Amino acid sequence: NGTLYIDTATLINLTAYDPEPHPSGVDYTWFEWLLVDDDYCDDPSSFDIGDFWPYPIESPDLPACTVTVSDGESIQAAIDAASPGDVICVEAGTYDENLDFGGKLDLTVLGPNAEILGYDPRLPEAIIQGTVTVSASNALDSLVFAGFRIESGSSTGINNVRLQSGGIYNNVIRGDWVSGSSPNIRGISTASSSPVVPQAWTLQGNDVRGYRFGISLDGNDQLVEAIVRDNYLAENQRGIQSYGGFHAGNPLILIEENTIVDNDQGIRLAGGKAIIKNNLIADNSEFGIRPGVSGSPLNDLEITKNEITGNFVGLLFDNIPSSSANLVIGYNTIAGNDDGIIADFLVDATLNYWGASDGPSGEGPGTGDSVSENVLYEPWLDAPAFGSYAESFGIPEESCHVVMYY
């Protein structure tokens, strides 16, 4: 609507650049830019819409509803009656039922907050008091499930995500886990399918708290793509957990832009073939990231551009793998942890910032976070690495972040 948001806080009227603003109530599109001149950041009034580096961000368009479920009606009944391609829109209210999508083809199920991140201020919720089961065995061809509040008590929130396409978006998911391994409940769990088929799915924008595992990742060597992005994981025993079969093939496993805070443990991966980048991993009482299983390969693992702070141990490499080719640990901020990195085998952790310009302490010479033996730390960064957008596109450090809605 002709408004420019700089760092999501400073507002500038863009009437001069949008002579025909869309009327209120009409869906808007949005794009994201990095400005290439720090003068714009210091003096936003000098902004010229022609002087930016374009970096478009997708804003998904939600399809029109074909079925509406109102408070007091059954969501499961609408699922059972749905035809392929249906869009079920659920109105705010409380729905005391378990849901099961087994056997359904090509469904979209949307709550009132389908376009609002789980950790952002939200509209009145459609509350599901129960467990959502995607599929007990076969992988559904496509499912989009978005915008609900799930209160699963001592059961798993969203269980058995088995999808050839689609994903789980923008849900608030709450459980009753308090401590230890019981109840052994998960906020979102994925699984291998029977029969085995390629899977590709996204878990994005969910706020998950109160589970043994916030997100539990399992699968097999037919996994093609697994995107875990922009979720908020807190107050769980373990933020993200994976099992060995999940890493068995040659998948794209991308864990990015998540906030993983105030858990007992941050990320516990059973293998490699994964990218962990641009996450905030903070204040977890045992560790931030702990990858690998003793005697199994830990190859092709990238841990880059994360902020790892306030954990008991930032990165813990205490399971000696059979191999660790292409293990990359770089451009992270590892600061404010009791120990920065503890390693029982040789790891290359050069080009990280340790919280002090003179480098890591412990086996290192400086006053930053400590490193144990087996950690290669030199050269280090004397300041936090600049963000991923600038590094990817060669934008100068003086740039600032801009989002425009119109």
Side-chain angles (χ1 to χ4, degrees):
N1 291 326
T3 301
L4 175 70
Y5 291 69
I6 294 186
D7 293 333
T8 69
T10 304
L11 307 183
I12 301 174
N13 193 310
L14 273 193
T15 304
Y17 307 109
D18 189 4
E20 298 179 0
H22 301 295
S24 61
V26 174
D27 290 341
Y28 57 76
T29 8
W30 61 280
F31 292 91
E32 191 167 329
W33 290 285
L34 285 167
L35 298 182
V36 299
D37 188 332
D38 64 341
D39 288 342
Y40 296 130
C41 305
D42 296 335
D43 180 15
S45 64
S46 67
F47 179 81
D48 184 331
I49 203 162
D51 296 337
F52 54 78
W53 183 285
Y55 183 66
I57 305 294
E58 295 181 2
S59 179
D61 295 323
L62 296 181
C65 305
T66 59
V67 177
T68 299
V69 179
S70 300
D71 190 15
E73 299 178 341
S74 169
I75 303 172
Q76 185 63 52
I79 293 169
D80 292 341
S83 300
D86 267 347
V87 179
I88 301 173
C89 295
V90 180
E91 296 180 344
T94 300
Y95 300 83
D96 186 4
E97 58 181 330
N98 297 317
L99 304 184
D100 191 334
F101 290 94
K104 303 306 291 188
L105 301 175
D106 189 18
L107 284 187
T108 299
V109 182
L110 305 176
N113 291 288
E115 294 184 291
I116 301 175
L117 293 167
Y119 52 83
D120 276 350
R122 288 164 66 92
L123 302 171
E125 298 276 7
I127 302 170
I128 298 171
Q129 294 182 328
T131 292
V132 177
T133 298
V134 172
S135 178
S137 58
N138 64 302
L140 305 186
D141 64 339
S142 179
L143 171 68
V144 171
F145 181 85
F148 292 86
R149 180 182 176 94
I150 298 167
E151 299 175 353
S152 67
S154 59
S155 300
T156 291
I158 300 179
N159 198 26
N160 292 329
V161 175
R162 296 176 163 105
L163 291 174
Q164 297 179 59
S165 66
I168 309 297
Y169 302 89
N170 297 346
N171 300 285
V172 174
I173 308 172
R174 294 291 185 268
D176 286 347
W177 174 87
V178 177
S179 64
S181 60
S182 180
N184 187 18
I185 57 175
R186 297 97 192 274
I188 304 173
S189 74
T190 73
S192 176
S193 65
S194 179
V196 174
V197 296
Q199 292 194 50
W201 40 256
T202 298
L203 311 177
Q204 180 171 317
N206 302 287
D207 183 333
V208 184
R209 310 186 198 200
Y211 293 90
R212 186 182 181 205
F213 302 148
I215 294 178
S216 175
L217 303 171
D218 205 353
N220 57 34
D221 61 4
Q222 292 301 299
L223 179 66
V224 175
E225 182 177 275
I227 308 298
V228 180
R229 176 185 292 132
D230 201 12
N231 301 284
Y232 191 99
L233 306 169
E235 302 166 23
N236 307 289
Q237 182 185 41
R238 192 170 288 173
I240 296 176
Q241 157 77 33
S242 76
Y243 295 89
F246 186 70
H247 305 267
N250 291 292
L252 169 62
I253 300 171
L254 181 58
I255 300 172
E256 68 171 357
E257 299 173 10
N258 300 283
T259 299
I260 305 169
V261 297
D262 295 320
N263 305 281
D264 289 355
Q265 305 168 354
I267 299 175
R268 177 72 177 98
L269 291 189
K273 300 178 184 177
I275 299 170
I276 303 173
K277 69 175 185 177
N278 295 331
N279 301 282
L280 172 61
I281 304 168
D283 301 322
N284 300 290
S285 62
E286 296 182 28
F287 58 77
I289 303 174
R290 184 186 180 205
V293 174
S294 294
S296 297
L298 186 63
N299 301 322
D300 303 312
L301 176 61
E302 175 187 323
I303 302 172
T304 57
K305 306 173 188 173
N306 302 284
E307 183 176 352
I308 303 169
T309 182
N311 307 284
F312 183 64
V313 180
L315 293 99
L316 179 58
F317 296 91
D318 61 337
N319 293 290
I320 300 176
S322 57
S323 59
S324 56
N326 300 318
L327 173 59
V328 178
I329 309 164
Y331 298 96
N332 301 286
T333 292
I334 305 170
N337 306 283
D338 284 22
D339 289 290
I341 299 183
I342 296 177
D344 290 343
F345 61 95
L346 188 65
V347 297
D348 184 344
T350 55
L351 296 177
N352 291 285
Y353 176 62
W354 301 96
S357 61
D358 58 358
S361 60
E363 294 293 313
T367 58
D369 272 25
S370 64
V371 295
S372 72
E373 59 183 0
N374 297 316
V375 178
L376 304 178
Y377 55 81
E378 191 173 10
W380 60 81
L381 302 180
D382 61 7
F386 190 62
S388 60
Y389 289 113
E391 189 163 320
S392 299
F393 294 96
I395 304 301
E397 186 170 345
E398 293 79 12
S399 304
C400 61
H401 195 85
V402 173
V403 177
M404 188 180 77
Y405 297 78
Y406 70 91

